[in-house]
Amino acid sequence: MNHPTWRTVILSPHFDDAALSLAGLIPELPDPIAVVTVFGGAPAAHHPVSWWDSICGFSTPQEAHRARLAEDARACRLLGVHPLVLDHPDGPYGDGGELLGIDRLLASMPADALVLVPVGSNQPDHQRVRDRALAVRAALGAPPPLLYADLPYTGHLPEWATDEADRALARSPRCGLAYQDLLRTHRTTVRHDLRLDDEQWAAKREAVLCHASQLAPLAADHGSLLARGGPLRAELVWSLEVRR
């Protein structure tokens, strides 16, 4: 695996995470950009359909996987990024093994490539991706990745899309536990604090709508997911510094 021309690599745990969390900011990041879905591997044939895929309307894991690949390709075309899918199956279909695909990917990248990883808010799979990427970059002697707020989870802070969002996350028992865990080992500095204007919002909404199979159950959990004033209206990214 050798992609030396990529200047930005976004680790998206699942097929929709990059669009939900970063679609507004992506046009401002250095080109060319790869969106890497970590849990994008095909499920083995013996698995029954998961609860999540069932409520998304699928009868089999294979049907869900084919649909998600197509959705991701459409979203990435709209965002002008290159989709890359690692071979780790999604949680219900995985074996819980180490995320070695991240190791191989990051080892193939230039040390100065910009890498973005999720905070891990309210999502153990997201935190696994974050922790693996932090460990691999450290072992390679490369700078820590940038950290992006997982949406819609962090977007439920009452202070979201305000100057207080970062500090509120550092004390929130609802949205901020993964961020607070990271603060034990790293200092954070806000790198991007994007509150989407109408044009940015329209482009983000179009990219998010590509992931249509997951939007109904997401809205059941997160309310007015696509409301103009909803949890996707702002995006937050930090740089990291290891505490000595």
Side-chain angles (χ1 to χ4, degrees), residues 58-82:
F58 297 112
S59 302
T60 69
Q62 292 73 29
E63 181 189 14
H65 186 250
R66 288 193 298 269
R68 301 256 165 75
L69 284 170
E71 290 174 342
D72 187 55
R74 288 193 293 272
C76 286
R77 279 197 299 271
L78 282 178
L79 294 170
V81 302
H82 179 86

Side-chain angles (χ1 to χ4, degrees), residues 43-49 61-62 93:
H46 67 274
H47 286 291
V49 67
Q62 292 73 29
Y93 310 122

Side-chain angles (χ1 to χ4, degrees), residues 10-14 17-18 21-22 25 116-121 126 129 146-151 154 236-238:
I10 299 169
L11 293 187
S12 180
H14 306 106
D17 290 311
S21 301
L22 291 169
L25 184 63
L116 289 88
V117 303
V119 171
S121 301
H126 291 207
V129 170
L146 299 184
L147 189 75
Y148 64 85
D150 322 59
L151 296 177
T154 52
L236 199 55
V237 174
W238 299 263

Side-chain angles (χ1 to χ4, degrees), residues 18-30:
L20 290 166
S21 301
L22 291 169
L25 184 63
I26 280 173
E28 301 180 21
L29 299 174

Side-chain angles (χ1 to χ4, degrees), residues 39-117:
F39 294 103
H46 67 274
H47 286 291
V49 67
S50 70
W51 169 82
W52 178 258
D53 285 344
S54 177
I55 65 169
C56 288
F58 297 112
S59 302
T60 69
Q62 292 73 29
E63 181 189 14
H65 186 250
R66 288 193 298 269
R68 301 256 165 75
L69 284 170
E71 290 174 342
D72 187 55
R74 288 193 293 272
C76 286
R77 279 197 299 271
L78 282 178
L79 294 170
V81 302
H82 179 86
L84 179 65
V85 179
L86 302 187
D87 60 3
H88 304 290
D90 197 5
Y93 310 122
D95 60 6
E98 295 184 348
L99 302 179
L100 298 179
I102 293 177
D103 301 43
R104 293 188 289 268
L105 172 75
L106 296 184
S108 74
M109 303 304 302
D112 61 351
L114 198 64
V115 178
L116 289 88
V117 303

